[in-house]
Coordinates of all heavy atoms in Angstrom, one line a residue:
V118 N 8.3 227.2 35.2 CA 7.3 227.5 36.2 C 7.1 226.2 37.0 O 7.3 225.1 36.5 CB 6.0 228.0 35.6 CG1 6.2 229.3 34.9 CG2 5.4 226.9 34.6
T119 N 6.6 226.4 38.2 CA 6.5 225.3 39.2 C 5.1 225.3 39.7 O 4.5 226.3 40.2 CB 7.5 225.3 40.3 OG1 8.8 225.3 39.8 CG2 7.3 224.2 41.3
L120 N 4.4 224.1 39.7 CA 3.2 223.9 40.4 C 3.5 223.0 41.7 O 4.0 221.9 41.5 CB 2.1 223.2 39.5 CG 0.9 222.6 40.3 CD1 0.1 223.7 40.9 CD2 0.1 221.7 39.3
T121 N 3.1 223.5 42.9 CA 3.3 222.8 44.1 C 1.9 222.5 44.6 O 1.1 223.4 44.9 CB 4.1 223.5 45.2 OG1 5.4 223.7 44.7 CG2 4.2 222.7 46.4
K122 N 1.5 221.2 44.7 CA 0.2 220.8 45.1 C 0.4 220.0 46.4 O 1.0 218.9 46.4 CB -0.5 219.9 44.1 CG -1.8 219.3 44.5 CD -2.9 220.4 44.7 CE -4.3 219.8 44.9 NZ -4.4 219.2 46.2
V129 N -3.5 215.7 40.6 CA -3.2 216.8 39.7 C -3.4 216.3 38.3 O -2.9 215.2 37.9 CB -1.7 217.2 39.9 CG1 -1.3 218.3 38.8 CG2 -1.5 217.8 41.3
T130 N -4.1 217.1 37.5 CA -4.2 216.8 36.1 C -3.9 218.0 35.3 O -4.4 219.1 35.5 CB -5.7 216.4 35.7 OG1 -6.1 215.2 36.5 CG2 -5.8 216.1 34.2
V131 N -3.0 217.9 34.3 CA -2.6 219.0 33.5 C -2.6 218.6 32.0 O -2.2 217.5 31.7 CB -1.2 219.6 33.9 CG1 -1.1 220.1 35.3 CG2 -0.1 218.5 33.8
V133 N -0.8 219.6 28.6 CA 0.4 220.3 28.2 C 0.6 220.2 26.8 O 0.7 219.0 26.3 CB 1.6 219.8 29.0 CG1 2.8 220.7 28.7 CG2 1.3 219.9 30.5
V139 N 7.9 218.5 31.0 CA 7.3 218.3 32.3 C 8.2 217.5 33.2 O 8.6 216.4 32.8 CB 5.9 217.6 32.1 CG1 5.2 217.5 33.5 CG2 5.0 218.5 31.2
V140 N 8.4 218.0 34.4 CA 9.2 217.3 35.4 C 8.3 217.0 36.6 O 7.7 217.9 37.2 CB 10.4 218.2 35.9 CG1 11.2 217.4 36.9 CG2 11.3 218.5 34.7
L141 N 8.2 215.7 36.9 CA 7.4 215.3 38.1 C 8.3 215.0 39.3 O 9.2 214.3 39.2 CB 6.6 214.0 37.7 CG 5.8 214.0 36.4 CD1 5.1 212.7 36.2 CD2 4.8 215.2 36.5
E142 N 7.8 215.6 40.4 CA 8.5 215.4 41.7 C 7.5 215.2 42.8 O 6.3 215.3 42.6 CB 9.4 216.7 42.0 CG 10.5 217.0 41.0 CD 11.2 218.2 41.4 OE1 10.7 219.0 42.2 OE2 12.3 218.4 40.9
G143 N 8.0 214.8 44.0 CA 7.1 214.6 45.1 C 6.5 213.2 45.1 O 7.2 212.2 44.6
L171 N 7.6 222.9 32.8 CA 6.6 222.9 33.9 C 7.1 221.8 34.9 O 7.2 220.7 34.6 CB 5.2 222.5 33.4 CG 4.2 222.2 34.5 CD1 3.9 223.4 35.4 CD2 2.9 221.6 33.9
R172 N 7.4 222.3 36.2 CA 7.8 221.4 37.2 C 6.6 221.2 38.2 O 6.0 222.1 38.7 CB 9.0 222.0 38.0 CG 9.6 221.0 39.0 CD 10.9 221.7 39.6 NE 11.9 221.9 38.6 CZ 12.8 221.1 38.2 NH1 12.8 219.9 38.8 NH2 13.7 221.4 37.3
I173 N 6.2 219.9 38.3 CA 5.1 219.6 39.2 C 5.6 218.9 40.5 O 6.2 217.8 40.4 CB 4.1 218.7 38.4 CG1 3.6 219.3 37.2 CG2 2.9 218.3 39.3 CD1 2.7 218.4 36.3
R174 N 5.3 219.5 41.6 CA 5.7 219.0 42.9 C 4.4 218.6 43.6 O 3.7 219.6 44.1 CB 6.5 219.9 43.7 CG 7.8 220.4 42.9 CD 8.5 221.5 43.6 NE 9.1 221.0 44.9 CZ 8.8 221.5 46.1 NH1 7.8 222.5 46.2 NH2 9.3 221.1 47.1
A175 N 4.0 217.4 43.7 CA 2.7 217.0 44.3 C 2.9 216.1 45.5 O 3.7 215.1 45.4 CB 1.9 216.2 43.2
V182 N -0.8 212.0 39.6 CA -0.5 213.1 38.6 C -0.7 212.6 37.2 O -0.1 211.6 36.8 CB 1.0 213.6 38.8 CG1 1.3 214.7 37.7 CG2 1.2 214.1 40.2
T183 N -1.6 213.2 36.5 CA -1.9 212.9 35.1 C -1.5 214.0 34.2 O -1.9 215.1 34.3 CB -3.4 212.5 34.9 OG1 -3.7 211.5 35.8 CG2 -3.6 212.1 33.5
V184 N -0.6 213.7 33.2 CA -0.2 214.7 32.2 C -0.8 214.3 30.9 O -0.5 213.2 30.4 CB 1.3 214.7 32.1 CG1 1.8 215.7 31.0 CG2 2.0 215.1 33.4
I199 N 11.1 211.2 40.7 CA 10.8 210.4 41.8 C 11.4 209.0 41.7 O 11.2 208.3 40.7 CB 9.2 210.1 42.0 CG1 8.5 211.5 41.8 CG2 8.9 209.5 43.3 CD1 7.0 211.3 41.8

Side-chain angles (χ1 to χ4, degrees):
V118 295
T119 300
L120 167 66
T121 298
K122 174 68 169 72
V129 174
T130 300
V131 294
V133 184
V139 179
V140 180
L141 305 181
E142 298 178 344
L171 169 65
R172 187 175 299 274
I173 302 176
R174 304 172 66 243
V182 177
T183 301
V184 179
I199 312 172

